[in-house]
Amino acid sequence: MKKIDKQLSYAPAEFRVSYCGWASPAMREMNGIFRQQLALLCYDQAKSVEELSQALQTPHEYIQDALDSFCNAKMMKKIDGKYLTIFPMLHLKKNYEAGLLCYKFSEEHEIPKKINDILFSLKDKIAALDFYGNDFDLSYLNWFLYTITDNCMISEFRSYFSDKTDEVIFNNSDWRTNNYNYSLCASYNYADEKIEDDHLERRLTQTSTYYQHYGQYRYNNVFDYNPFPCSFEEVPIGMASECGRNNYLTRENIDFYLKLVKETKHDFTEEEQKCLENFEKHGVVEKSGDSYKPMIPVFTEEVFSELEKIITRAVIPIVKEIAEATEKPMEEIMLPEMRGVKERIDQLYVFWLCSFLSPRQELYWYGMNVEGLAIPKDYKASSAGLYIIC
C-alpha cells in the first residue's frame, strides 16, 4: 500500500533499530519519533526540505537542522538539493521473512548442534593454549566461546560475499571500514499495519556484547542481557543503574584482579579485602578456604588470535553450507529493500547479511536448553561470558 507522506505526521511508523560498531552518533540521530519518520520519508527517494516540512507539518528550520545532522553522521547524503537516507531499512515483514528463513535452515540442518560438537572436538586444542582459565570446564568457557565462534563465522560470511562490495572490515572485533565507523539497520511498519509476530523468540536467546578498553586491557562481556544482570535493565526513577556486569571490572580494580590471577594467595589490604568481597558477591572470584580463584579468563592478544584461527578453520565448512543454501533466497528478500542505493547495498553485505545468517541466538538457545552451557546456580553471581584481553 502506497503511503501518503502526511500520515507520518499524525500516525508515525514504528521502528526497531539494530546497531554495530561504535554507533553512539547513530543512536543519537535515531532517538525520537520525529527523526525516525524523517529517515523513512527520505528512503524511497530523495526529498527536499520543503517536501519534508509539508509531510511532517514541521517548520523548515527543524527539518534542516536534523538533515544536516544526519549528513554529518553519514546516515544521509545530499543530492541536488534533496536528501536521501543511505543506511539499510527493511519493512518488518521482510525482516521477519529473512529471519525465519535463516532460522528454519539452522533448525532443519542442526547448525547449533554441529557448532557445539565442533567446540567440544576442539577441547584439547583450546586447553593447550596458554591463557588463564584453560583448565576451566568447556561448558563454562562456552559462554564466551559461542560468541567468539559466531564472530569467526561472521568474518567468513563476509569473505564469502566479498565480491559483492568493496567495503572491508578491519578485524573481527572492530566493525569498521574505510568509509564507516559504524552501521545501523532499521525495520519499520506503518501504524495501520498488523503484522503477525514471527514467534522466533521461543527458540532464540537474545544476547548483547559490551567491551571496554582500560588502557592496555580490554574487558569483554558477551552476554549483557537477561538472565544475567544487564546494563539496560529498567530501574525505578531516581535509582542509579549498576550497569549490569559491565562494571564488575573497572580501571580502578582490573590491575588487582590480574594480580590475583598471578598470585594465588597473599596478605590483602583493607581496601583490597573490600574489593574481594565485591568480587565474590558477583562471582568474579570463588573463595576456597583462605584463597581466591579468579573466574574471568585472561588472554594475550597473540593467544586470543590463535584461538580465533583454530575456531575459524573448524567452522568454514558450516559457513559455506549456510551461505550456499541461503544466498539467493536472502538476496531476493533483502536486495529490493535497498532500492538500488550503493551505500545501503554495501552496508547490507558487509554488516547485516552476515548478521542475519549468524546462528548466535539459536546456538545460545541450544546451549541453555539442550547441551553445551553450564547453567549458573545464580546468574547474579556468575562471571560466565566475561573475559579479558591484555
Side-chain angles (χ1 to χ4, degrees):
M1 176 180 176
K2 181 71 175 177
K3 296 291 160 183
I4 300 172
D5 285 348
K6 286 186 179 180
Q7 178 176 326
L8 297 183
S9 68
Y10 62 83
E14 296 180 3
F15 274 75
R16 298 160 179 79
V17 187
S18 298
Y19 303 92
C20 63
W22 291 99
S24 294
M27 293 179 187
R28 288 193 295 270
E29 295 304 322
M30 292 298 285
N31 183 24
I33 294 174
F34 167 68
R35 290 189 172 231
Q36 293 171 356
Q37 310 312 304
L38 198 63
L40 181 55
L41 283 166
C42 294
Y43 196 78
D44 282 341
Q45 60 185 35
K47 298 284 199 312
S48 67
V49 173
E50 177 63 30
E51 289 172 315
L52 294 167
S53 178
Q54 291 181 11
L56 293 177
Q57 305 292 290
T58 303
H60 287 204
E61 292 79 7
Y62 292 102
I63 298 288
Q64 188 65 65
D65 180 68
L67 294 173
D68 290 342
S69 188
F70 271 128
C71 288
N72 289 335
K74 295 185 178 180
M75 296 165 66
M76 284 189 180
K77 68 178 180 180
K78 191 174 182 179
I79 306 171
D80 299 327
K82 296 187 176 185
Y83 296 84
L84 183 71
T85 298
I86 59 174
F87 62 85
M89 287 192 190
L90 298 170
H91 190 277
L92 184 60
K93 188 174 181 179
K94 294 295 183 179
N95 184 306
Y96 281 173
E97 190 177 337
L100 191 58
L101 187 153
C102 294
Y103 168 75
K104 285 183 175 178
F105 181 86
S106 180
E107 183 177 48
E108 290 170 2
H109 294 266
E110 298 186 317
I111 299 300
K113 183 181 187 305
K114 290 178 181 178
I115 296 171
N116 193 66
D117 289 349
I118 282 174
L119 286 173
F120 276 91
S121 75
L122 298 175
K123 180 179 178 179
D124 291 342
K125 288 184 178 180
I126 293 171
L129 294 174
D130 185 18
F131 68 95
Y132 174 76
N134 61 3
D135 59 339
F136 290 1
D137 192 278
L138 188 65
S139 60
Y140 179 83
L141 298 178
N142 274 346
W143 280 102
F144 68 84
L145 288 177
Y146 278 5
T147 292
I148 293 171
T149 301
D150 187 71
N151 287 341
C152 293
M153 292 180 69
I154 285 175
S155 179
E156 290 305 307
F157 281 130
R158 290 199 189 102
S159 296
Y160 182 88
F161 294 113
S162 61
D163 62 331
K164 311 272 187 174
T165 174
D166 51 10
E167 295 291 336
V168 179
I169 287 284
F170 291 150
N171 58 61
N172 283 356
S173 61
D174 190 4
W175 285 39
R176 293 186 299 120
T177 72
N178 285 324
N179 291 314
Y180 301 99
N181 289 328
Y182 53 81
S183 182
L184 67 157
C185 183
S187 295
Y188 65 91
N189 61 282
Y190 294 105
D192 64 349
E193 292 180 311
K194 292 183 179 179
I195 301 175
E196 186 177 349
D197 193 333
D198 60 7
H199 299 299
L200 286 186
E201 291 83 357
R202 297 175 183 174
R203 295 295 299 274
L204 298 178
T205 296
Q206 300 289 331
T207 64
S208 180
T209 300
Y210 165 94
Y211 64 90
Q212 178 65 51
H213 286 277
Y214 297 137
Q216 62 181 324
Y217 310 130
R218 196 173 86 218
Y219 170 50
N220 303 266
N221 174 12
V222 306
F223 213 109
D224 183 26
Y225 212 91
N226 292 322
F228 291 100
C230 60
S231 60
F232 44 87
E233 286 180 324
E234 292 185 6
V235 295
I237 295 175
M239 298 290 288
S241 169
E242 294 184 357
C243 294
R245 304 192 299 167
N246 296 344
N247 278 353
Y248 282 7
L249 293 183
T250 65
R251 290 183 184 275
E252 289 71 31
N253 66 26
I254 193 168
D255 282 317
F256 176 57
Y257 177 82
L258 293 173
K259 184 178 180 181
L260 292 173
V261 168
K262 296 176 181 177
E263 302 175 16
T264 57
K265 183 179 177 181
H266 65 277
D267 294 328
F268 300 112
T269 66
E270 184 177 346
E271 182 178 349
E272 288 174 336
Q273 193 62 51
K274 289 180 180 179
C275 188
L276 277 170
E277 291 172 2
N278 193 50
F279 279 174
E280 186 178 2
K281 172 186 174 182
H282 292 129
V284 174
V285 300
E286 291 183 354
K287 187 176 182 180
S288 178
D290 294 331
S291 62
Y292 294 86
K293 180 181 180 180
M295 295 304 297
I296 302 177
V298 182
F299 295 85
T300 63
E301 290 281 3
E302 294 76 17
V303 172
F304 190 79
S305 178
E306 185 58 32
L307 173 65
E308 288 182 314
K309 291 176 183 177
I310 290 172
I311 293 174
T312 296
R313 287 193 292 266
V315 298
I316 285 176
I318 295 181
V319 169
K320 187 176 180 181
E321 177 186 0
I322 295 172
E324 288 181 348
T326 61
E327 176 182 4
K328 186 175 180 180
M330 287 293 284
E331 288 179 336
E332 289 174 351
I333 295 169
M334 304 181 85
L335 280 179
E337 298 288 292
M338 302 301 104
R339 311 292 194 265
V341 176
K342 182 181 185 303
E343 291 90 342
R344 298 172 191 163
I345 294 171
D346 283 341
Q347 291 180 72
L348 175 67
Y349 279 115
V350 79
F351 292 110
W352 296 108
L353 183 54
C354 54
S355 295
F356 271 89
L357 299 180
S358 150
R360 179 181 305 189
Q361 295 179 349
E362 294 94 322
L363 179 58
Y364 272 102
W365 189 95
Y366 181 88
M368 295 174 73
N369 292 278
V370 182
E371 62 176 346
L373 293 174
I375 305 302
K377 293 180 180 178
D378 181 0
Y379 282 98
K380 292 183 178 180
S382 174
S383 289
L386 308 180
Y387 65 97
I388 301 168
I389 299 177
C390 297

